[in-house]
Amino acid sequence: MGVTTFTQEFTTPIAPSRMFKALVLDSHNLIPKIAPQGIKSIEFIEGDGGVGSIKQINFAEGGHLKYLKHKIDALDSDNLVYKYTLIEDDVIFDKTESVVYEVKFEASSNGGCVCKMSSEYHTKAGVELKEEDIKQGKEKAMGLYKVVEECLLLNPDACA
């Protein structure tokens, strides 16, 4: 089994604490409301949202996935770090054993933040993963971050 890591980051004028709250702490309430065309619901099927909890994301009809499940590995509200592992979805992964994600929200000099994301793909023996293999998922994640950013810009009291 090999490990392939991809990283990406983006900047936003939104304060790091608000982005963390919107994308991590309150995502199960906020995201289905502001992106119903992509995400039908987000629910905790085990735990209360803390470390060890399992979160299920149910996608809207017509997408290539129906659902996926994440296990929360680390949740640091003081340092605005969130780490989780993709543990199940409705599509059989033919190249990976698991995927571990980490997201950090850091303050930028302009009052906004830099969102730094890393994805560790634990591949099956003999498999080499290329960035093109995960491009669609990365693009959808970035699209979701932009929808959240727009919502927070239009609603200055949301997730404050």
Side-chain angles (χ1 to χ4, degrees), residues 3-16:
V3 178
T4 304
T5 302
F6 295 103
T7 60
Q8 65 185 41
E9 65 180 57
F10 75 95
T11 58
T12 175
I14 306 297

Side-chain angles (χ1 to χ4, degrees), residues 1 9 19-20 22 27 59 78 82 89 113 120 126 128 141 150:
M1 178 170 81
E9 65 180 57
M19 288 297 286
F20 185 79
S27 64
F59 294 96
D78 294 330
Y82 180 53
D89 68 18
C113 79
E120 280 183 11
E128 183 180 340
E150 186 176 314

Side-chain angles (χ1 to χ4, degrees), residues 73-127:
D73 301 318
L75 180 62
D76 185 339
S77 297
D78 294 330
N79 294 304
L80 307 179
V81 177
Y82 180 53
K83 187 173 183 178
Y84 58 96
T85 302
L86 175 63
I87 59 169
E88 184 182 326
D89 68 18
D90 64 324
V91 175
I92 297 172
F93 278 53
D94 59 343
K95 294 183 177 184
T96 60
E97 298 284 346
S98 64
V99 186
V100 179
Y101 300 93
E102 184 172 52
V103 185
K104 296 179 183 179
F105 300 86
E106 299 177 354
S108 62
S109 59
N110 67 358
C113 79
V114 178
C115 299
K116 297 182 177 184
M117 298 157 279
S118 69
S119 308
E120 280 183 11
Y121 291 81
H122 297 258
T123 56
K124 293 181 178 178
V127 173

Side-chain angles (χ1 to χ4, degrees), residues 12-77:
T12 175
I14 306 297
S17 60
R18 289 183 70 209
M19 288 297 286
F20 185 79
K21 186 172 183 184
L23 287 165
V24 178
L25 300 179
D26 201 35
S27 64
H28 58 288
N29 293 315
L30 181 67
I31 291 175
K33 290 178 187 170
I34 65 172
Q37 70 283 4
I39 305 220
K40 188 165 108 179
S41 66
I42 300 174
E43 55 198 75
F44 291 103
I45 59 171
E46 204 172 290
D48 61 0
V51 172
S53 295
I54 296 176
K55 182 190 291 191
Q56 180 168 315
I57 295 107
N58 299 301
F59 294 96
E61 300 289 324
H64 73 283
L65 286 175
K66 291 182 181 174
Y67 75 92
L68 54 81
K69 293 179 183 176
H70 292 158
K71 182 175 183 185
I72 299 172
D73 301 318
L75 180 62
D76 185 339
S77 297

